[in-house]
Amino acid sequence: MQALPNDRISLSVDEAHALARHALMSLDFNADEASIVADHVVDAALCGYEYSGLPKILNLAEHPAMHQPRRAIRTLHETPASARLDGGNTNGMLAMRRATDIAIDKARGNGFGVVGINNIWMSGRSAHYVERIARAGLVGMHTIGSRAQVAPPGAAGPAIGTNPIAFGFPTARDPLVVDFGTSAFMFTDLMFRERRGEVLPEGVAIDAHGAPTRDPSAARSGAVLPFGGHKGFALGLAMTALAVLAGSADDPDRSGYLVIAIRPDLLIPLDDFRRDVSALIERIKSTPRQPGVDEIRIPSERASRERRQQLRDGIVIDRAIHDALQAMAR
């Protein structure tokens, strides 16, 4: 293995999980809760999303909602195919795991399950939930209308959230997962850049006065921009509208989280669906390539490869992040 710089450290998966779990228990998560959140952040690291990995625990510890009372998750409305939940200020990685499992159970029994939840915070990677749905043999979709951090085209301040949307599809191999934010830059990555003293790319953020900035601290006081101008804003606005179904009007941050699970055999047998989506992927990957291009890459393919490699080789993180988490664990 290549030697690491002094500011980087390698951990086995078990070491990373134990470090995350102990740091989380210092924040008054019980052992089961800490294990669920640790599973989430370690998997993000395995998939190559360092900013959504172990550093996320530091963001969690600093989040104002972490220090507010929380209540048990409550069901506000339920039908055989749906549920709307009040998360009671539960961390989103815990609450969305619960919402996802409810959607899976309803889809298995009724063919379709939709769950909306509000009053939660910091739910992590949407891919984590739709992949869980796809591995259950279902088609998954997850949308978020989050707190205002994105400026519409021409605006000098934020009006909608970074509002990711994700899909998960079962195939003959690893699930096909499509997960992206509707902003030009995600706030979790922005906070990671700020923590490491790095600048942002050009053209992704404005400061509190509406002027372009590459300073993460200034951008946190201002806004990030939608990807693709009006098209990204329109898609983000659609996620904001869907969040109303999840109770965003009654949420302190005007946030709402929606998760949908669909049993393919409502329309086509599951085995046929797996076969045909796999054939679609192979057809795309066999497209003639331009000079110098080694392969046509499918969304989630890189993450699956990195996960397999890092399960063998371990996870590399910043030494400063490691030391901060160790201090929390102590």
Side-chain angles (χ1 to χ4, degrees):
M1 183 181 293
Q2 189 175 12
L4 295 174
N6 288 336
D7 62 348
R8 304 286 279 169
I9 186 168
S10 178
L11 302 172
S12 71
V13 175
D14 287 345
E15 289 171 336
H17 197 278
L19 177 61
R21 193 171 64 251
H22 291 137
L24 289 159
M25 289 176 69
S26 78
L27 298 174
D28 291 332
F29 288 111
N30 65 39
D32 289 342
E33 292 171 338
S35 186
I36 289 170
V37 177
D39 286 345
H40 191 120
V41 299
V42 169
D43 189 60
L46 286 170
C47 291
Y49 297 97
E50 183 175 357
Y51 60 86
S52 282
L54 273 69
K56 190 102 176 172
I57 298 172
L58 302 180
N59 297 353
L60 190 152
E62 296 166 358
H63 198 288
M66 184 74 240
H67 310 290
Q68 299 297 320
R70 65 168 167 155
R71 307 178 306 277
I73 296 172
R74 295 186 299 131
T75 301
L76 302 175
H77 176 72
E78 188 168 18
T79 74
S82 68
R84 188 160 79 84
L85 310 176
D86 180 331
N89 193 46
T90 301
N91 171 255
M93 286 176 270
L94 298 171
M96 277 306 306
R97 169 75 170 262
R98 168 92 168 270
T100 299
D101 288 348
I102 293 171
I104 289 171
D105 287 344
K106 288 184 177 294
R108 282 173 169 162
N110 299 282
F112 179 86
V114 55
V115 179
I117 186 168
N118 66 357
N119 289 329
I120 65 175
W121 51 279
M122 198 179 291
S123 62
R125 289 178 66 233
S126 298
H128 190 80
Y129 309 112
V130 295
E131 181 176 350
R132 186 176 182 85
I133 295 170
R135 290 194 182 279
L138 305 165
V139 174
M141 178 178 173
H142 177 37
T143 72
I144 303 174
S146 55
R147 66 187 177 91
Q149 296 172 316
V150 177
I160 65 171
T162 55
N163 293 9
I165 181 171
F167 304 89
F169 304 93
T171 77
R173 291 175 289 277
D174 285 328
L176 168 63
V177 175
V178 178
D179 176 18
F180 60 95
T182 57
S183 58
F185 207 77
M186 296 304 289
F187 246 68
T188 303
D189 198 359
L190 184 150
M191 293 173 70
F192 185 55
R193 298 275 184 117
E194 183 180 28
R195 203 177 291 281
R196 298 181 69 181
E198 298 174 349
V199 298
L200 302 176
E202 293 276 4
V204 302
I206 57 176
D207 63 20
H209 306 290
T213 185
R214 298 186 66 191
D215 180 351
S217 298
R220 285 184 69 184
S221 300
V224 292
L225 302 176
F227 83 83
H230 282 280
K231 290 183 178 181
F233 169 65
L235 189 56
L237 179 59
M239 300 307 103
T240 305
L242 283 172
V244 176
L245 292 172
S248 62
D250 298 322
D251 183 271
D253 289 328
R254 294 291 189 265
S255 297
Y257 303 70
L258 203 66
V259 59
I260 299 170
I262 305 168
R263 209 172 64 207
D265 68 1
L266 287 178
L267 300 169
I268 181 174
L270 174 58
D271 287 346
D272 291 356
F273 183 84
R274 291 184 190 274
R275 181 199 64 213
D276 292 347
V277 174
S278 297
L280 166 66
I281 292 170
E282 291 307 314
R283 187 164 70 249
I284 292 170
K285 290 186 69 65
S286 66
T287 306
R289 300 187 299 272
Q290 295 187 7
V293 175
D294 293 330
E295 69 168 336
I296 306 298
R297 202 175 73 194
I298 299 296
S300 72
E301 197 169 35
R302 179 203 56 79
S304 293
R305 289 175 182 172
E306 290 214 16
R307 180 191 278 150
R308 288 192 290 269
Q309 178 186 334
Q310 295 196 93
L311 280 168
R312 295 191 307 266
D313 300 341
I315 296 167
V316 176
I317 67 171
D318 268 15
R319 187 177 295 275
I321 301 292
H322 172 267
D323 293 348
L325 292 173
Q326 274 202 327
M328 284 177 62
R330 285 195 293 268

